[in-house]
Amino acid sequence: MADDNTPGHQVVNEVPSSDVERSESEGSSRNGDDDDELDPRIEENLEILNAASEQVNRLEKELSEVRLTIHETLNESGQKLTALMNSHKKAIARVKPFYQARYEARRAHIANQKATKRFEKAISMHKGAMESVAAAEQNFVPQREATVSFDATSVEMLNQANDRFAESEKEKVAAQEEHRKTADIFEEARQRVRMLQNKLKSSIEKSKLFFEVQAHYFQLLEKQKRQVHEIQKKLLDTKSEYSEAMSTLERISEEIHKRRQLNRKLSERKLGRDIAVSVGDDDIDLDDVDGMVRDLALGEFDCGHVCGFSLLTHLSVSLFVCPASVSMCSSYSM
């Protein structure tokens, strides 16, 4: 039967990998060359996402078809069983105890089979425990010296073997009792089936078709119900894979976004440093300053040229020059 709690048909759209890759490429071209190469995890998870999407859609379709089949089977079985019951209503009502007895006999047979397996297992365990006790007794050798002493390991092995033997003995007795009870119940059920079969032979023959059709549709509905459960389980697993792949893609997108922000900040800082260095270099030509300092120290200079550049103002240096040179420069500037 269909499960009413199962979500309805829901189509999952595929994610075109080309669109996502194109979007990532456009984003990388806008944000620099750091993301020119597409993260390989994106393509891998997109394949998982699209495969899961196709699987979900296919399973949803199969689930709808099976549910529709169950509905049709219920309608068909109801119509056929109703027609047969109207034809042999009295015979069907008369043989119901027979089919109920058959059902109880079948259940008793299954219980007896389980009890038989348990009893056989208990006998095997009991036999193995007896062999363990015998082996432990052979290894249990007292050492006779001045005083009698025993091997502690052998004593422990013997105790464990005796414990297992006692447990196996209890299990054997319990399993044997269960086997006896289930065998008696099964035998009583079989006798009741034989008695009702002989008593209701004519009615059983008349209603045979009804119960055969009923059993056929019961088995068919059970099979369809198992199909629904299997599809629902596959659907749940596939949706989990889809959600996991989607979460992975979101995490990768967040990582790329953070990396681009960091690279943008680093680029802005580098650009600011380059501008600062360029402005500082244009302020004073160091080669010209070195030449003027050398000329000033040697007294070979043009006062107008030197004072025009206000060299004594810009330079905080102490020069060993002759007093005449300094006085000439001072008189010119005055």
Side-chain angles (χ1 to χ4, degrees), residues 278-309:
S278 176
V279 171
D281 289 345
D282 291 340
D283 199 11
I284 298 176
D285 191 339
L286 298 182
D287 292 336
D288 292 343
V289 172
D290 290 340
M292 285 185 283
V293 170
R294 183 174 57 254
D295 293 342
L296 182 62
L298 297 176
E300 299 175 354
F301 59 92
D302 181 359
C303 285
H305 176 72
V306 174
C307 295
F309 277 91

Side-chain angles (χ1 to χ4, degrees), residues 157-214:
M157 289 178 60
L158 181 59
N159 291 336
Q160 291 179 359
N162 286 327
D163 291 341
R164 286 195 297 270
F165 177 77
E167 292 176 0
S168 66
E169 184 71 21
K170 292 180 181 179
E171 174 62 18
K172 178 185 175 182
V173 172
Q176 187 176 10
E177 181 64 17
E178 182 185 8
H179 179 264
R180 184 186 63 78
K181 289 182 179 180
T182 55
D184 292 342
I185 293 172
F186 176 52
E187 184 60 28
E188 290 177 3
R190 288 179 60 187
Q191 291 178 4
R192 177 171 173 76
V193 169
R194 291 197 194 98
M195 184 268 293
L196 291 172
Q197 187 174 12
N198 294 329
K199 181 180 178 180
L200 304 171
K201 188 174 182 179
S202 177
S203 298
I204 291 172
E205 187 65 25
K206 291 180 181 179
S207 61
K208 182 178 180 181
L209 181 60
F210 171 84
F211 288 100
E212 287 179 350
V213 172
Q214 186 183 53

Side-chain angles (χ1 to χ4, degrees), residues 17-30 260:
S17 59
S18 59
D19 292 347
V20 176
E21 292 175 3
R22 182 168 59 253
S23 176
E24 292 294 336
S25 300
E26 292 174 355
S28 63
S29 63
R30 290 192 303 266
R260 287 172 177 172

Side-chain angles (χ1 to χ4, degrees), residues 14-60:
E14 296 185 18
V15 180
S17 59
S18 59
D19 292 347
V20 176
E21 292 175 3
R22 182 168 59 253
S23 176
E24 292 294 336
S25 300
E26 292 174 355
S28 63
S29 63
R30 290 192 303 266
N31 293 279
D33 298 334
D34 53 302
D35 293 320
D36 285 344
E37 294 184 1
L38 187 65
D39 193 321
R41 295 177 298 170
I42 295 178
E43 183 177 359
E44 178 182 352
N45 283 275
L46 280 175
E47 292 177 357
I48 296 174
L49 203 66
N50 288 331
S53 175
E54 294 177 358
Q55 181 77 346
V56 166
N57 293 334
R58 184 180 64 80
L59 291 173
E60 288 282 6

Side-chain angles (χ1 to χ4, degrees), residues 122-140:
I123 291 175
S124 177
M125 291 178 62
H126 185 265
K127 182 179 179 181
M130 289 180 62
E131 294 176 353
S132 298
V133 170
E137 288 177 347
Q138 291 179 357
N139 294 330
F140 183 68

